[in-house]
Amino acid sequence: MSAAGVALMLGGAGILLAASPAQAAEVSYRTECIPPPISGLPAVQGTTKVQITAPAEAKVGDEVEVVWKTVEAASKNPDVLDLEKDTVKPTGTVTVGGAGSGELKMEGPRQNPPIPKNSPMVLPDMKGKLKLEKAGEITLTPGAYNINVSKPISTDTKCSPKETVPVAARIKVTEGSGNSGGTTTSGGTTTSGGTTTNGGTTSAGTTGGATTSGGTASGGTTAGGGGQSDFPGKEVAVTFACKSPGPAGISSKVTINAKKNGGSYDLVVKTAKGVMNSPAALPAGALKPSMAVVVGGADKGTVPVTGPANKDPLEQGKPVDLADMTGTYKPGAGGKSTLSPGTLTIDVTLGGQKISIPCTVKGTAQASLELDTTAQPGGAAGGDSSSGGSPGGGSAGTDGGLAQTGAENDGALRALALVAGTVILLGGAVFTFTPWRRLRGTR
């Protein structure tokens, strides 16, 4: 068979080669898709049909492009929400076998036509680049994939195979310089400007630019005698892992300051500027932060601190400055007690309905402040401070506990946002079949 064309194109870290089309078979496999936790919906069983294309032949040293085309997704867009143009972004993994091994990360652009309710999901092609390092036959098999929908609020639906998936494409790799003999696949896909081998994540990652280290384990400022009343804390770096529909993670510098007030301490907790991006266009008063400050050392427990809601409207995707959070710490034990950042909770309220997004500390947060405390009646020793438990109802611990606002909170998961007079399910772009009439009856 004569070559359809040969072209050398620089791409990423290597040279991509073009020649006769590869024969890539379409494969189907049973799939389970997990809707975002906020939806409160059950898992969906469906069938995914995928076509993987790659060069039929290449040489050791070549970097080739692999394309994943989703012929049929596991389910239709449910009868809940029309998806706008360019709001859907897929990512996935292709298993590399035979003469190679490992997983190739695949990523598609946020690019789709408008997808009406109760119609097939239309996903853009995903791409990834594979460096060939060994002669032999390489096999490519599609696997798990993730669907991110950016509006009305960012949500992820995670889909994984429930059976052994057939090989979808093969590459014959021979020894050589890699400057000739390779071929690209057909199908009208573009080979320039593709994604890199490390793929990408499906949602906005860490924001704020803070580092993940700093400070000592004891940390903070030690309260001395001499009638001191103000105790400034030390700025410590903290990384939070958030549940959907919040950001995947938040990194921020956090400072806990205290002012003595009788036998108690008035706390002020500050975070970095632009600590997160707004999950949606929100009116004034819609977003409110709180935190469960962890008490350690001689004393034990958590102290809830709460900040006021945003004064000005927030634009979707734009950085958000969280207001200072305040609360009162009443010591329950005497000695040196530490105060460390704990679970950060972001409450979003729309139309009288509230969604709570818990962000738990990854690892162990360092102490921002150390105080010489004197036990007070009803203080924090052995449990939560007398001013109340953690904002999310979590328990104390070195990681700040976990606010009970995730999958266990059925009310929050099924909360509806009233936007422009229309009831829409946040995270409605999941792949599922649902008795939505029951939910609509709550309007």
Side-chain angles (χ1 to χ4, degrees):
M1 186 177 228
S2 62
V6 178
L8 294 177
M9 293 174 286
L10 293 178
I15 298 177
L16 298 179
L17 304 175
S20 60
Q23 299 299 318
E26 179 181 299
V27 297
S28 301
Y29 53 98
R30 294 197 310 273
T31 308
E32 180 180 67
C33 293
I34 307 298
I38 195 170
S39 70
L41 301 174
V44 177
Q45 309 297 324
T47 299
T48 300
K49 295 182 180 179
V50 174
Q51 184 182 52
I52 300 293
T53 57
E57 296 181 358
K59 296 184 180 296
V60 173
D62 289 350
E63 185 179 59
V64 299
E65 184 171 71
V66 178
V67 180
W68 169 318
K69 180 180 181 62
T70 303
V71 179
E72 182 179 313
S75 176
K76 294 181 178 181
N77 181 30
D79 188 20
V80 178
L81 180 69
D82 292 332
L83 300 183
E84 297 180 18
K85 182 177 183 292
D86 298 340
T87 57
V88 176
K89 178 184 176 69
T91 56
T93 58
V94 168
T95 300
V96 180
S101 62
E103 288 188 339
L104 177 62
K105 300 296 184 182
M106 307 293 290
E107 181 179 9
R110 193 175 295 283
Q111 187 178 75
N112 61 278
I115 304 176
K117 292 178 287 188
N118 198 32
S119 65
M121 290 296 296
V122 181
L123 304 180
D125 292 350
M126 295 185 281
K127 300 178 182 179
K129 293 178 185 175
L130 178 64
K131 183 75 171 180
L132 304 177
E133 300 177 347
K134 184 180 178 182
E137 185 180 68
I138 298 287
T139 61
L140 302 173
T141 305
Y145 60 98
N146 185 86
I147 308 298
N148 176 261
V149 176
S150 60
K151 290 183 179 181
I153 196 167
S154 180
T155 57
D156 292 308
T157 296
K158 301 180 184 298
C159 301
S160 57
K162 301 307 290 181
E163 64 177 331
T164 301
V165 183
V167 171
R170 301 174 187 271
I171 305 174
K172 182 180 179 181
V173 184
T174 58
E175 298 287 355
S177 63
N179 291 328
S180 63
T183 61
T184 56
T185 62
S186 60
T189 57
T190 302
T191 57
S192 61
T195 54
T196 57
T197 53
N198 62 356
T201 57
T202 58
S203 61
T206 298
T207 58
T211 58
T212 56
S213 62
T216 60
S218 58
T221 302
T222 302
Q228 182 178 356
S229 60
D230 292 314
F231 305 102
K234 183 172 66 175
E235 186 179 71
V236 296
V238 186
T239 300
F240 299 92
C242 302
K243 285 193 173 184
S244 178
I250 293 176
S251 288
S252 175
K253 297 291 184 67
V254 179
T255 305
I256 303 174
N257 300 318
K259 183 179 180 66
K260 193 169 179 59
N261 183 1
S264 301
Y265 295 87
D266 295 330
L267 303 183
V268 178
V269 179
K270 297 177 178 289
T271 59
K273 299 294 184 182
V275 68
M276 62 176 286
N277 292 333
S278 178
L282 299 175
L287 188 147
K288 185 176 181 179
S290 59
M291 180 181 285
V293 174
V294 179
V295 182
D299 204 359
K300 295 291 186 292
T302 58
V303 180
V305 292
T306 305
N310 57 302
K311 294 181 180 179
D312 301 313
L314 303 175
E315 296 183 44
Q316 181 177 356
K318 294 299 179 67
V320 175
D321 297 337
L322 299 182
D324 292 350
M325 294 167 278
T326 60
T328 300
Y329 165 48
K330 181 183 290 186
K336 293 187 180 298
S337 300
T338 60
L339 300 177
S340 306
T343 296
L344 173 68
T345 300
I346 308 297
D347 289 329
V348 179
T349 302
L350 289 171
Q353 301 293 332
K354 184 171 76 172
I355 302 296
S356 292
I357 303 171
C359 300
T360 56
V361 175
K362 295 181 66 174
T364 301
Q366 298 178 359
S368 174
L369 184 62
E370 184 178 79
L371 299 170
D372 286 329
T373 57
T374 301
Q376 302 295 314
D384 290 339
S385 167
S386 60
S387 57
S390 67
S395 59
T398 57
D399 64 351
L402 176 62
Q404 299 300 315
T405 52
E408 296 82 0
N409 190 328
D410 186 68
L413 294 179
R414 298 178 182 275
L416 301 178
L418 302 179
V419 179
T422 302
V423 178
I424 59 174
L425 178 69
L426 294 179
V430 299
F431 294 175
T432 188
F433 299 101
T434 313
W436 296 109
R437 295 181 183 86
R438 178 163 49 88
L439 293 177
R440 292 197 190 97
T442 63
R443 283 189 299 178

